[in-house]
Structure formats: C-alpha cells, structure tokens
C-alpha cells in the first residue's frame, strides 16, 4: 500500500453538484451525516428538497402582546428570569422574556415548557431569544406561551445578520441532531456554492396562469432558492406554487405511464350479449336503475376491446354496486372465463358469497369462497366465480387466473397493488369499487391510473336516514330510544371507536362497553364484533345477526364497509368525534337499507362538546361527495395522501383541495407530454426521476 492511498481522501475540488453526496460538504461529522442519511437525505438535491415547515418574519418583530390571540406570533426579546420547578416526576421550566424597547417598564411574556429536562442547560438569562407560538392568557394576568418554538440568537456571530435574522427566515423540520438553525445555515451555504445550471429542471414549465412580472418565469433553481430563503411573502408563494406544480406533475406522469402500460396490454374479449346474461337480468328481483344500466354499458364497452379494463366504480353506500359487479362477472363466466370478487374483510367476503350464491347457483354457476380461513386448493376447474379477501389476490393457486377481478370497497388496495395486477400476463380486467366518498381532488391523485364511473342514483324506495347529533349526557335517552326500536322488532348497530384496535386495553374497553350495553338493552340479545375475532367467530356472529337472532351488534369499526342487513334501523356511534365525517357517512350507510325509517345517532364524547358543530354537518348533508369535500377541508388530506405507502412521489408542497386547479393542469400536461414524447427523449431529467419513482412503485407489493 502506498503512502498516498493511506491518506484520507482529499476534499473534493471543483463546484458542488446537485448529485454530489452530502459527504462532499465541508465540516459535517459522520454522526450528523448518518442522521441525514437516515432521514433519506443522501445528495445535495435531497437536501434542497428538505423544505421549511414554515417561515418567520424576522425583519420586523411585532411588539409584545398584552392579551391572548388566535394567531401564532414570532417575538424577539431578552431572557430576564428562568426557573425550573419539579412536581414529583414532572418538571416545568419557565422563563420571562422581556421586550427590547425603550418603554418603561418594558413589556414581558412568560414561556413555559413541561418535562423538557435539557432546557435549563441551554436557556439562560441574558440570552437574545426568538420564540414562536400562540399567546394565551395567564389566570393571574399577563400573557404566556406554552411550549413555544425557540431559537437562541448569537447576535455577535457573523452569520447571524445574514442567515438567521433580518429576513423572512425558514424554519426547517429538525433532523436528529440538526436543529432548524443548523439546517438553515447548511442550506444557506450549500445554495451559495451551487450553480443555477446544475439544478435540474424537470420539464420546461409552460407560463403560469397569472404571471407576476417579478417572478415569472420561475426556474426550478430559483424556486428552490426562494422556498428556503425568500425575499418576500409573494415570492415565497410563487416558489411554492411552482414546486407544487412540479411535484404534482411528477406524480401525474407516474400515473399516466402506469395507465398507458395498462391500456396497452391484452385481455380476453367478453361480449355484451349472451343467453346466460339475459336469463340473469330477467331473474333479478328489481329493475336496474338508470345509473346502473349506464355504468354497465361502459363496463361492457371496456370488456369488448381486447385490452384490459381498469375502471373505478364510485357509488355512495347503498347505490347498488354489487349487482353491477355481479353482472360483469356473469358476462365473463358466460364467455367461458372465471371471475373473482375480492373484499377487504372476511365478513364481507362471506356476505358476498351468500348473496352471489343465491344469484348464480340457480344458473348452474359454481361460487367458491376463499379466505385466509378457507384457503384449500380448488379442484373445480373451468369457469366459476371466486370470492375472497384482497390479500389472496396475489395467490394464483387459490384464486386461479380470473379474466375479471372486482375489488370491492378498496381501501388499502392502492396504485401499487393495481400496478402489480397490471404486471400479470395476461392482464385481467379490473373493476375497483368504492363507496369511500373521495373528493374529486383526491380521486385524481389516488385513482389517476383508472377510468371513473359514478353510480349517482339510489335504488327507488329508500327512506333517508334521520341523523341526530347529541352531547354525551344524552346517552341514557339514546339507549331508551334504541330499546324501543328493538321492542318493535328492529335491529341496531352500536359502534364504539377504538383508537388502537390491536391493543389489549382497548379490547378490554370494548368488552366493558359491550357488557354495559347488554344490561341496558336486556332482554334483547347483543353480540360483540371486533377485529381480533377469528374468521369463523365473526361469520357466526354475522350470520346470527343477519338471521335476526342477535338483535344488536356492538362493534368496533369492522362494520364500516358493505354489510347489508335491511332490518337494522338504528346506528348509534359513541365518541363520534373521533371519526372523520366521511367515515361516519359510511357507517350511516349500514342503516336505511329497508323500507322502515332509520336513525343514525351520533353521540359526542365527554369532552367533545365543541366538536358537535362539525358533526352537525351530517344532520343536513346526505351526499357522500359533498361530505367528503367538507371533511377534506376540515381535516386536510392526511392519510389519504399518505403517498409513502401508495408508492407515488410525495406531495409536500401542494395543498389540497386548494391546489386542485394545479392538479388538473398537471394531469393535462403530463398526458400531453407523454403523448408527444413517450420515451422522454427530450426530457432526460424527467426520465431519470420517473424511472426512480417507478422502481418505488413496483417495489414491495405483498
Ligand atoms: P353498495 O353500493 O353500498 O355496495 P349494495 O350493492 O350492497 O350497495 O346494494 C344495496 C342494496 O340495494 C342491496 O340490498 C341490493 O340488493 C339493493 N339494490 C341494488 N340495486 C337495486 C335496484 N336497482 N333496485 C332496488 N334495489 C337494489
Ligand atoms: Mg358494497
């Protein structure tokens, strides 16, 4: 070994590049590098995409507030007192922040933190401190900030004026040992070394709809500089919108390519007409609604092309999706193929099994049930209908290779699973059914790879469900009401939400709840249904409920989807505020399925009086999509955009539903660009990015 090779590698010379590893940056210790890597930041480019979680206006601080206020404030002052108090094992750290002003006496506010034992080591009197938080009133008078964010200024440090102060200052999410202050400096210095030409532009952005002369046209390079260190709020918003468009575009490209792959495949031709189908439709106990007929026309159009169908059938609870699916499945069987219907839960699979058997067996078509509990290999070959749970779809030895796959009530069955289905040869026709009223905004992102059909009409004769929102102290009255309905021969669902269905304590809580209701509703028979029960236990309970022997189902949310028992007329939900509106609407769909008047009683939890407002939306609204939009506006996209698990590029800057126009624009642009340049010859940066995301998409499908 030569002397030279033993030396540490020389620090890289030449300009920093976007794809440079972060280890090329000066003065980063291995531990800190590791922390960045664990957070997924490997290259300079990754670092640039670590966006601030907010910005503080540190050019001009407001004067100290005298009263509580609804908005967070960013204040600067001097620490004049500190105090740590201990209450048993609890610890409270309090400090007084005094305004730097000539006013006498100077204004002060209190700051409090609980159980942060390191604070006395880093906060001390005399410090120049910036805090960010919401001012609240102290009982004894004065203003307090509880758990504010804070930053100690080293006003004499040379970088302070330049990087941390006198500007709209970014506050980045901390990463392990990296405080926002450290990340800010790292980004500042990195951006200063990075030439603009080196920051890749995904695609040449067409001009924005409302160009502002100062910021248009934005390049990715200056949008990235601006999102971290903007010189005005307007500029910041323009940069955010630019990057939001980019991320939405990237996501839509992945979806559009996925779609193109699907559309290009081969699939069996399933004709629209056959004696079997005619016989089936004639035997149905009701006429199809106009919406059902319309949707079926579209489905059979798809099935006749020789290319795979990939269609989402969206319809509110009770709109009659099952019979649509059954008709399509029968079409496949009539053409000599098998068809499969996959449900999210075993209870639901069982219910479909019972229903489809009634429809199909008179026609001489075998229906088989495959769940985790009944996985035995099928001996029956030839056309047949298989009912199973989602999880079994990728086990061809149990479900075979159906020509048509119907996915009912998909929740966890996302883009990634559909991508995997579409990778099968031959590609099956896929019909995804959902009652989760997903707003259009999200449908575009979550189902961008599918064609969409809507069942927007209810079967005739439905009596709307009457919804009542009540505070917790009306529980006894509500119980009386349920009792009277039971006396009249009806059945009821009582839903008790569990935060964590799997833990033993919550199961205990559900059991206690169940015992309480059993007493309240005696002599009517109750049963407890929860996710931990074995499949056949669940089946037994459901069968007994369906048969009317069990009158009340006390349940966690396992009844959420699909269950259809017409004699059940009351749904009572406890701690209803723990559910989203859309989810409550789904639950509500369990009743109102027969001719009798039905009720949905939403009881708020003990401390949830102020959340009644939100629930009251459900007293008026009956349209699932309107409710979903309201829910989205209130709660934000949350999990629905949990893109980490969908395998799509993350949406970090786009705000939905506000950015819906950007999303639609992005979709159009993605389709256009991929139509013009399918191989992305002219867009190498985009090609690289998409290759990366597609690898993610196909990785890790169970
Ligand atoms: P969902 O769309 O929620 O899955 P289902 O398919 O379970 O709804 O249908 C709900 C109920 O409506 C079922 O009992 C079904 O038999 C009935 N139904 C479906 N279509 C019609 C129709 N056209 N006329 C009358 N009843 C119908
Ligand atoms: Mg259904």
């Amino acid at each position: 070994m030569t002397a030279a090779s033993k030396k540490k590698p020389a620090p890289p010379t030449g300009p920093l590049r976007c794809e440079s590893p972060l280890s090329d940056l000066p003065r980063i210790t291995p531990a800190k590098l590791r922390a960045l890597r664990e957070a997924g930041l490997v290259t300079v480019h990754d670092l640039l995409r670590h966006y601030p979680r907010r910005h503080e206006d540190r050019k001009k601080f407001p004067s100290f507030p005298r009263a509580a206020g609804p908005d967070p404030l960013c204040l600067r002052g001097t620490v004049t007192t500190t105090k740590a108090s201990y209450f048993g094992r609890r610890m409270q750290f309090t400090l007084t922040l005094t305004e730097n002003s000539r006013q006498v006496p100077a204004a002060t506010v209190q700051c409090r933190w609980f159980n942060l034992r390191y604070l006395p080591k880093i906060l001390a009197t005399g410090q120049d401190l910036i805090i960010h938080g919401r001012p609240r009133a102290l009982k004894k008078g004065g203003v307090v900030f509880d758990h504010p964010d804070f930053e100690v200024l080293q006003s004499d440090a040379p970088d302070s004026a330049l990087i941390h102060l006198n500007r709209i200052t970014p506050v980045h999410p901390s990463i392990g040992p990296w405080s926002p202050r450290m990340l800010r400096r790292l980004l500042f210095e990195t951006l200063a070394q990075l030439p603009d030409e080196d920051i890749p532009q995904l695609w040449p952005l067409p001009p924005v709809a409302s160009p502002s002369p100062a910021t248009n046209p934005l390049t990715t390079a200056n949008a990235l500089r601006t999102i971290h260190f903007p010189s005005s709020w307007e500029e910041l918003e323009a940069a955010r919108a630019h990057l939001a468009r980019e991320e939405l575009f990237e996501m839509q490209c992945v979806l559009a390519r996925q779609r193109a792959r699907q559309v290009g495949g081969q699939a069996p031709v399933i004709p629209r007409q056959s004696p079997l189908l005619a016989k089936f439709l004639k035997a149905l106990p009701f006429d199809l609604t106009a919406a059902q007929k319309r949707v079926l026309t579209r489905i059979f159009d798809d099935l006749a092309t020789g290319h795979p169908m990939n269609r989402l059938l969206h319809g509110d609870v009770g709109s009659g999706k099952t019979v649509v699916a059954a008709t399509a499945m029968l079409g496949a069987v009539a053409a000599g193929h098998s068809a499969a219907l996959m449900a999210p839960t075993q209870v639901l699979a069982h219910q479909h099994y019972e229903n489809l058997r009634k429809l199909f067996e008179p026609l001489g078509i075998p229906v088989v049930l495959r769940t985790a509990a009944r996985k035995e290999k099928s001996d029956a070959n030839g056309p047949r209908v298989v009912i199973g749970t989602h999880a079994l779809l990728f086990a061809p030895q149990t479900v075979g290779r159906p020509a048509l796959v119907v996915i009912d009530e998909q929740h966890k069955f996302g883009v990634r699973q559909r991508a995997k289905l579409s990778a099968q040869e031959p590609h099956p026709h896929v019909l995804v059914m959902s009652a989760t009223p997903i707003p259009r905004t999200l449908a575009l992102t979550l189902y961008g790879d599918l064609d969409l059909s809507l069942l927007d009409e209810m079967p005739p004769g439905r009596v709307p469900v009457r919804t009542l929102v009540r505070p917790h102290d009306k529980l006894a009255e509500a119980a009386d009401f349920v009792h009277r309905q039971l006396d009249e021969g009806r059945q009821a669902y009582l839903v008790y939400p569990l935060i964590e269905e799997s833990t033993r304590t919550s199961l205990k809580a559900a059991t206690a709840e169940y015992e309480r209701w059993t007493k309240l509703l005696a002599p009517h028979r109750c049963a407890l249904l929860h996710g931990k029960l074995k499949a056949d236990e669940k089946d037994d309970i459901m069968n007994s409920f369906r048969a009317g022997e069990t009158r009340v189902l006390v349940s966690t949310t396992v009844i959420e989807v699909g269950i259809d028992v017409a004699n059940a007329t009351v749904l009572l939900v406890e701690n209803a505020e723990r559910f989203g509106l859309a989810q409550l609407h789904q639950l509500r769909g369990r009743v109102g399925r027969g001719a009798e008047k039905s009720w949905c009683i939403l009881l708020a939890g003990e401390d949830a009086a102020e959340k009644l407002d939100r629930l009251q939306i459900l007293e008026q609204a009956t349209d699932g999509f309107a409710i979903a939009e309201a829910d989205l506006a209130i709660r934000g996209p949350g999990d629905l955009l949990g893109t980490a698990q969908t395998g799509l590029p993350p949406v970090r800057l786009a705000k939905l539903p506000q950015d819906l126009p950007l999303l639609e624009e992005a979709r159009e642009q993605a389709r256009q660009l991929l139509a013009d340049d399918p191989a992305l010859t002219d867009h190498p940066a985009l090609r690289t990015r998409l290759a990366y995301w597609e690898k993610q998409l196909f990785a890790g499908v169970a």
Side-chain angles (χ1 to χ4, degrees):
M1 203 182 269
T2 66
S5 71
K6 264 192 226 157
K7 273 198 212 147
K8 280 196 172 170
T13 49
L16 199 59
R17 310 286 315 260
C18 232
E19 64 270 25
S20 306
L22 290 171
S23 52
D24 278 7
L25 297 175
R27 297 195 310 269
I28 302 189
T29 63
K32 285 199 172 146
L33 207 55
R34 204 174 325 120
L36 292 177
R37 198 173 46 232
E38 277 161 16
L41 310 191
V42 178
T43 63
V44 166
H45 186 254
D46 297 334
L47 177 67
L48 300 187
R49 301 285 171 175
H50 187 64
Y51 301 128
R53 86 188 131 87
R54 63 155 196 277
H55 291 78
E56 293 176 357
D57 191 343
R58 296 188 182 176
K59 277 190 279 198
K60 192 174 171 301
F61 292 93
S63 45
F64 277 29
R66 312 261 162 198
D71 299 321
L73 293 176
C74 182
L75 302 180
R76 179 180 181 182
T78 304
V79 179
T80 46
T81 71
T82 65
K83 186 173 157 213
S85 330
Y86 294 83
F87 312 93
R89 275 187 298 160
R90 281 169 52 79
M91 182 264 214
Q92 178 182 330
F93 186 74
T94 315
L95 65 74
T96 310
L97 195 67
T98 302
E99 190 167 21
N100 307 320
S101 76
R102 260 160 285 168
Q103 206 179 319
V104 183
T108 63
V109 296
Q110 303 291 308
C111 299
R112 290 190 300 208
W113 294 268
F114 301 97
N115 298 328
L116 293 182
R117 283 161 199 281
Y118 59 90
L119 285 185
K121 294 192 203 103
I122 57 174
L123 289 172
T125 54
Q127 280 172 339
D128 187 0
L129 194 72
I130 290 181
I131 61 163
H132 183 275
R134 195 163 288 135
R136 312 216 294 149
L138 271 175
K139 279 211 191 78
K140 58 181 183 200
V143 170
V144 68
F145 288 77
D146 280 324
H147 275 256
D149 274 5
F150 66 90
E151 188 173 323
V152 180
L153 286 173
Q154 285 123 26
S155 314
D156 46 345
D159 65 0
S160 197
L162 188 62
I163 303 179
H164 307 294
L165 261 182
N166 306 321
R167 62 160 62 249
I168 296 174
T169 308
V171 180
H172 295 88
S174 321
I175 298 175
W178 292 88
S179 66
R181 185 183 176 85
M182 291 155 73
L183 287 165
R184 186 184 305 136
R185 181 203 304 220
L186 181 70
L187 270 152
F188 190 87
E189 289 171 352
T190 305
L191 281 166
Q193 289 176 60
L194 201 64
D196 260 9
E197 313 78 75
D198 197 54
I199 300 178
Q201 182 92 20
L202 276 189
W203 93 111
L205 269 177
V208 275
S210 57
S212 109
T215 52
N216 193 51
L218 265 178
T219 59
T220 303
N222 55 39
L224 276 174
R225 290 183 196 283
T226 305
I227 194 92
H228 293 288
F229 295 98
S231 40
S232 71
W233 294 103
E234 293 74 34
E235 219 186 85
L236 174 62
E237 172 51 26
R240 185 202 68 83
H242 177 100
L243 296 171
R245 279 152 58 105
E246 269 193 6
E247 70 187 13
L248 292 170
F249 174 74
E250 216 174 341
M251 179 180 70
Q252 291 301 317
C253 281
V254 173
L255 288 170
R257 295 231 301 186
Q258 178 52 26
R259 205 183 141 81
R261 253 191 303 275
Q262 290 169 351
V263 170
Q266 301 291 314
V269 173
I270 295 172
R272 181 188 307 271
Q273 254 138 27
S274 67
L276 196 61
L277 259 177
K279 203 167 153 196
F280 169 76
L281 291 172
K282 222 171 135 208
L284 277 183
F286 44 71
D287 292 330
L288 295 177
T289 64
Q292 284 168 326
K293 285 184 190 151
R294 195 188 61 231
V295 168
L296 274 167
T297 304
R298 293 304 303 275
I299 289 175
F300 277 101
D301 285 349
D302 290 354
L303 294 177
T305 59
H307 297 294
M309 165 171 79
N310 287 283
R311 187 167 286 280
L312 170 67
L313 173 55
H314 231 155
D316 214 339
V317 284
S319 58
K321 294 182 290 295
T322 317
V323 68
V324 171
T327 310
M329 291 167 85
L330 201 82
V333 171
H337 304 284
S338 297
L341 171 61
M342 313 311 281
T345 63
Q346 307 205 13
V347 166
L348 214 53
H350 202 99
Q351 177 180 291
H352 279 316
Y353 173 64
E354 298 291 340
N355 286 342
L356 293 193
R357 241 174 29 164
K358 271 181 229 139
L359 290 173
F360 290 164
E361 284 186 347
L363 302 169
I365 297 159
V367 180
V368 286
L369 178 66
R370 293 277 176 270
T371 64
R374 305 195 194 190
K375 228 187 305 203
E376 72 279 8
K377 228 171 147 151
S378 154
D379 37 336
N381 281 320
R384 57 190 180 129
V385 167
V386 184
I387 318 288
T389 44
H390 287 171
L392 292 183
L393 188 50
F394 298 114
Q397 70 280 15
T398 44
V399 292
R401 290 285 177 147
L404 167 65
V405 171
V406 180
I407 316 274
D408 190 26
E409 304 289 357
Q410 71 82 44
H411 284 294
K412 306 253 155 60
F413 202 87
V415 180
R416 184 174 260 177
Q417 283 73 15
R418 296 197 293 272
K420 172 142 185 206
L421 262 188
S422 71
Q424 286 182 2
E425 274 308 329
H427 185 330
H429 295 287
V430 178
L431 179 66
V432 176
M433 305 200 292
S434 175
T436 311
I438 289 191
R440 208 161 61 92
T441 332
L442 287 176
L444 283 180
T445 63
L446 298 175
Y447 305 123
D449 56 330
L450 298 172
D451 294 309
L452 200 97
S453 288
L454 199 61
L455 268 189
D456 52 4
E457 179 187 352
M458 284 290 170
R462 289 284 156 81
V463 186
V465 178
R466 178 90 192 277
T467 300
L468 307 168
V469 176
R470 293 290 180 266
H472 186 75
D473 55 21
K474 298 283 190 229
L475 180 80
E477 270 170 60
D480 273 355
F481 178 78
V482 176
H483 207 293
R484 283 198 304 273
Q485 287 281 306
L486 296 174
D487 292 343
E488 283 173 31
R490 307 278 100 78
Q491 287 169 276
Y493 299 103
L494 305 181
V495 178
Y496 176 81
L498 293 185
I499 302 172
E500 187 58 77
E501 169 132 309
S502 57
T503 67
R504 215 187 298 150
T505 35
S506 38
L507 211 55
K508 230 167 105 185
T511 310
E513 200 66 17
Y514 164 68
E515 279 158 10
R516 187 163 64 92
W517 279 108
T518 305
K519 282 198 197 98
L520 279 171
L521 300 178
H524 301 294
R525 188 153 132 208
C526 304
L528 176 63
L529 188 68
H530 61 77
K532 289 267 117 177
L533 291 174
K534 293 207 190 69
D536 42 356
E537 292 173 321
K538 279 188 204 163
D539 282 347
D540 287 348
I541 291 173
M542 280 316 299
N543 285 339
S544 155
F545 187 70
R546 226 171 263 132
E549 291 152 16
T550 295
R551 310 293 305 289
V552 181
L553 214 50
V554 180
S555 132
T556 62
T557 55
V558 285
I559 62 154
E560 186 176 335
V561 285
I563 290 186
D564 189 23
V565 176
N567 191 43
T569 55
V570 192
L571 172 84
L572 184 148
V573 185
E574 278 195 83
N575 296 331
E577 76 286 349
R578 292 195 197 160
F579 290 104
L581 296 182
Q583 206 182 1
L584 287 170
H585 177 69
Q586 284 266 296
L587 281 170
R588 175 166 70 176
R590 297 309 113 224
V591 293
R593 298 190 148 239
E596 300 296 335
K597 185 151 184 53
S598 290
W599 308 83
C600 167
I601 304 170
L602 303 176
L603 278 177
E606 267 171 279
D607 304 316
E610 79 279 11
K611 301 207 176 105
L612 289 180
D613 280 7
R614 181 172 70 90
L615 294 177
Q616 268 152 3
I617 293 177
L618 287 170
E619 287 188 340
Q620 310 301 327
T622 56
D623 172 44
F625 287 87
I627 291 167
E629 292 283 359
D631 211 24
L632 183 69
I634 295 168
R635 290 158 41 109
D639 283 1
L640 286 175
L641 273 183
T643 43
Q645 38 165 320
T646 67
L648 290 175
V651 172
R652 287 185 283 209
L653 291 171
K655 296 183 209 147
L656 296 172
Q658 298 92 306
D659 283 334
L660 177 62
L662 290 186
L663 178 60
E664 289 182 335
E665 198 181 284
R667 188 166 76 139
E668 265 322 295
Q669 287 164 350
R671 289 195 170 176
Q672 193 65 52
L673 187 140
L674 289 168
D676 294 349
D677 183 10
L680 296 173
T681 324
D682 297 335
H683 301 89
L686 183 61
R687 195 172 60 224
T688 312
R689 295 286 292 173
L690 294 187
Y692 171 80
W693 288 120
E694 281 162 13
K695 217 173 119 205
Q696 307 284 310
L697 181 62
F698 285 98
V701 187

